[in-house]
Amino acid sequence: MPATTVRALCLALYDYANTSQIGVFLTREMGQVRGLAKGALRPTGSFEGGLEVGAVYDLSLLPRTDGLDLLTRARMVEAFPAVRGSEAALNAAFFVLELGAQLTVEHDPQPEFFDAAIGSLRLLDKGAPRDIVLFAFEASAMRLLGFMPAVESCAGCGAVLPVRPAFSPRYGGALCAACGPRDPGAKPVSAGALRMLARLAEGAIPLSSLAIDARVARDLRAAFNLFWLNLLGREPRSARFLDPA
Ligand SMILES: [Zn+2]
């Protein structure tokens, strides 16, 4: 089979043997890809001295049916250098990469989700506010991957939501006062924060002019963390660095 070239964001890397690397990538064309880059750490070669987590490549690979794909060449096209100079931006970028790894699988391309991840890394690289970038990414991920919770009316009975409904990913979204007690794990979240989540998911707000007040930010972070916990079975490892100020 001839080599295929895909646009790929490097999610994780593992050293292999002395000079090789195994990479996990989110690709635009093929979903998640795992591949062996033989001799990647040699200073001269097809991998420019080694792959880097968080960089974007034009990646040439030979798909194999028995085990890891074989990576034959990687040309870096974007590296987000300013992210590496800021701890807050770096933690946020790791969160984007972790969700990219957790929410995608092999052979199931999600090009819009790929574009959302790259767009978020570009914004972090430009110094955009971390919470806003992540909230927009997380909300888009929910919508694009088909996980969007009901946040406009009660997910249990369709009733109008109170000012502070219970957010229950387990029951599919926000719950009214009558339905809330069904899920002891639900968290109270303001209806305003949930409306913000819905608008962010639709991409309806220009992020450059968006300000989110501290209470809404705390509610959104709590809602997203509970959502990912419910979906993934644990909070993302990098979420603990993301508490809003
Ligand atoms: Zn209800």
Side-chain angles (χ1 to χ4, degrees):
M1 194 182 281
T4 304
T5 299
V6 292
R7 185 56 60 92
L9 169 64
C10 184
L11 302 174
L13 284 172
Y14 307 93
D15 286 348
Y16 180 78
N18 278 333
T19 59
S20 298
Q21 289 177 301
I22 290 172
V24 182
F25 299 87
L26 178 62
T27 74
R28 199 167 194 285
E29 296 84 354
M30 298 172 69
Q32 205 172 120
V33 163
R34 287 163 189 271
L36 172 62
K38 282 185 183 164
L41 296 172
R42 290 196 193 108
T44 57
S46 305
F47 298 94
E48 302 170 344
L51 297 160
E52 280 182 37
V53 170
V56 181
Y57 295 92
D58 276 338
L59 192 65
S60 301
L61 58 95
L62 286 167
R64 293 201 310 189
T65 49
D66 54 338
L68 292 170
D69 293 342
L70 199 60
L71 309 182
T72 56
R73 184 174 191 84
R75 187 179 67 83
M76 188 187 278
V77 292
E78 223 170 336
F80 316 110
V83 168
R84 288 155 215 270
S86 150
E87 196 182 334
L90 195 59
N91 288 334
F94 275 120
F95 183 70
V96 171
L97 299 181
E98 188 175 355
L99 284 187
Q102 294 288 326
L103 297 176
T104 62
V105 294
E106 292 179 42
H107 308 299
D108 182 17
Q110 299 287 349
E112 288 181 278
F113 175 73
F114 176 89
D115 293 342
I118 301 289
S120 302
L121 296 174
R122 280 182 193 146
L123 286 169
L124 292 170
D125 199 51
K126 282 187 199 151
R130 181 197 70 176
D131 290 339
I132 288 175
V133 173
L134 290 184
F135 292 152
F137 173 65
E138 293 171 87
S140 302
M142 285 174 167
R143 179 177 67 83
L144 294 171
L145 301 176
F147 303 127
M148 192 63 198
V151 293
E152 315 269 9
S153 57
C154 176
C157 69
V160 174
L161 293 173
V163 174
R164 210 165 167 76
F167 183 62
S168 166
R170 215 175 129 206
Y171 282 88
L175 298 176
C176 71
C179 296
R182 284 189 208 166
D183 181 3
K187 280 206 165 100
V189 172
S190 72
L194 294 174
R195 276 194 300 275
M196 174 71 78
L197 192 161
R199 293 178 66 206
L200 287 168
E202 292 303 324
I205 316 176
L207 298 188
S208 56
S209 60
L210 180 63
I212 298 182
D213 79 40
R215 277 204 323 226
V216 172
R218 274 196 300 276
D219 271 4
L220 280 173
R221 176 47 51 217
F224 281 121
N225 284 1
L226 187 63
F227 184 86
W228 301 125
L229 170 67
N230 185 72
L231 184 71
L232 306 172
R234 59 169 182 77
E235 273 191 16
R237 276 187 298 277
S238 39
R240 66 180 184 276
F241 300 110
L242 303 179
D243 289 335

